[in-house]
Structure formats: structure tokens, C-alpha cells
Amino acid sequence: MPTRRCFTMSALTFAAAGLAGCGTRSSVGLPAVSPARASPTRTLARPNYAEVYTDYPGERFAVRTVDYRKVDPAYLRQTVELTREEAPGSIIADPASYHLYFVETPRVATRYGVGVGREGFAWSGLARVNMKRDWPDWVPPREMIEREPAIKAQLEKTPRGLGVRGGPNSPLGARTLYLFGEGRDLGYRIHGTLEPYSVGTNVSSGCIRMINQDIVHLYARVAPGTPVTVLAA
């Protein structure tokens, strides 16, 4: 069962360990989910990556071009066939394969590459998207500041407390989906990242990070209440 908040490695220059926390509450009691895979049998379509991963227009802050040639093709956005039926409109995250799926139809999904929790901090369970925010402020958990007090000097006041205001320096990236379950905030997020080339690796302590262009794409298609399944690694 997950009992730790999720912390993500970021490009933020913190004096201590360079850690960024995306949780706001500890999480207990999430039901374990069996490691049945949503693995695709085949790729059905790939977008034009030169267009997909370029600068995003109309944003409050710049979403910079990502050199997709530096990313393993397995972790670039694509439409895939699923081996089992899943509810359309739902999200499935598979940490073992570093993929997240948005189900389009019962056997077809858009697949994205993700970065996931480091060994020892992986989590699984059932949740729903309770809130969604664009360019959210990041406020580290109190426990993190207690462990790494040197970072406090690099934080500023935000409406939610000391942290980093939403924008190009926020460890939460361009968008964040907040996962709730059992009537409370589970402390876990699906969010963008300052480190797009870290997808396909274990880089956080529980949260799911995506290339900013991909989280923007997912965010536009997800409504509060969307069910999320995170498979056991």
C-alpha cells in the first residue's frame, strides 16, 4: 500500500537534493490492482512527431519544442490496439512498461510514455480525476521541507503556501491531474515535467510525469470524474 507522498526529480536548482514533491497528503488504503497489462498488440497510427512535439501556441507560458529523436520511439505518443476491453474515456497507467493509456474505444487507446516512481516508491490502485489545473503552483509537502530545509530559501509565497508558482520553472509542468479516492486527496498526480527526456525511466517517488505536449493533449480530453487505474508493477 502506498504510504509515501510522491516526489519528482526536477531541473529546479534546489540547494539540497534537487527534489520536487507533487503530493499534498499521505496516501493509505488504496486497493491493490493486479498486474494485468493493458499492453497493445500493435500500433495503429503515429502522429507527425515534428508537429506534435513542437512549441505549443496559445499558452500562458512557453511549451518548448522537444527533440523527439532523443526519446525512445516506444515512449512517443501513438494510437494502439489493446488486448482487452477497457471503458472508453478511462485512463490506465502501467508503470512496468512506462506507459499511460487513454482509452478511445473498447480496444483502442492513445498511448503516452511516462516517467514513474523509483523502486521502492511505486504505487498502484484505483482513483478518479478530482481536479485538473493548467500551469499549477507546486507546494512541497511539509515533510519534504523538514528533510531538506535548504530548499525553503528558494521557495516563494503562493496562494497555497510556500512553493513555486505555476510556469516554466514549476516541477508540475504545464498541466496536472489530481487523483482522489475514498473521498480524499490521494496525494498523487499525473503531470507535466521539466525533464521531457526522462520518460521511460524511474524518476519519481510515485507520481506519473509526462512530456508537456502529451499532458496538454491528455488534459484537454479528460474531465473531472475520469476513472484512473494504476497497475501494480
Side-chain angles (χ1 to χ4, degrees):
M1 297 294 180
T3 57
R4 294 288 300 273
R5 300 173 194 267
C6 47
F7 302 117
T8 62
M9 293 300 296
S10 80
L12 216 54
T13 311
F14 284 134
L19 292 170
C22 54
T24 56
R25 292 185 180 179
S26 60
S27 174
V28 294
L30 266 174
V33 177
S34 66
R37 296 286 159 241
S39 57
T41 55
R42 62 192 176 100
T43 296
L44 301 177
R46 294 182 177 86
N48 181 333
Y49 292 135
E51 296 179 356
V52 165
Y53 293 112
T54 190
D55 290 2
Y56 246 69
E59 289 287 320
R60 289 191 289 142
F61 305 97
V63 174
R64 301 296 185 190
T65 296
V66 172
D67 186 351
Y68 66 90
R69 294 165 297 185
K70 295 182 179 179
V71 180
D72 186 324
Y75 305 123
L76 297 175
R77 188 192 315 171
Q78 53 194 274
T79 303
V80 298
E81 180 184 52
L82 298 176
T83 58
R84 65 181 192 183
E85 284 200 6
E86 301 289 349
S90 62
I91 292 173
I92 302 167
D94 186 357
S97 68
Y98 305 103
H99 289 131
L100 180 144
Y101 301 82
F102 179 77
V103 183
E104 309 285 355
T105 62
R107 290 190 179 272
V108 176
T110 299
R111 189 183 76 184
Y112 308 89
V114 300
V116 299
R118 295 189 304 274
E119 184 178 1
F121 297 97
W123 60 279
S124 65
L126 305 174
R128 289 187 179 272
V129 175
N130 180 270
M131 298 187 300
K132 43 184 285 191
R133 297 287 186 269
D134 65 41
W135 296 105
D137 296 340
W138 168 69
V139 176
R142 183 185 65 255
E143 297 92 331
M144 178 185 174
I145 296 177
E146 290 173 352
R147 286 198 310 272
E148 305 289 348
I151 72 172
K152 188 173 182 179
Q154 301 190 46
L155 305 178
E156 61 181 312
K157 289 184 179 180
T158 77
R160 294 178 49 240
L162 286 178
V164 178
R165 290 190 177 275
N169 295 322
S170 172
L172 295 181
R175 304 285 191 276
T176 297
L177 305 177
Y178 297 79
L179 304 190
F180 280 54
E182 301 178 349
R184 58 190 171 81
D185 184 354
L186 296 171
Y188 293 103
R189 317 287 185 239
I190 300 171
H191 62 85
T193 180
L194 300 173
E195 300 175 315
Y197 307 109
S198 65
V199 296
T201 65
N202 291 74
V203 291
S204 73
S205 300
C207 286
I208 299 168
R209 59 161 64 183
M210 301 173 65
I211 295 172
N212 271 334
Q213 282 87 344
D214 285 343
I215 189 62
V216 170
H217 184 260
L218 176 66
Y219 180 98
R221 310 169 79 201
V222 170
T226 293
V228 180
T229 301
V230 180
L231 303 176

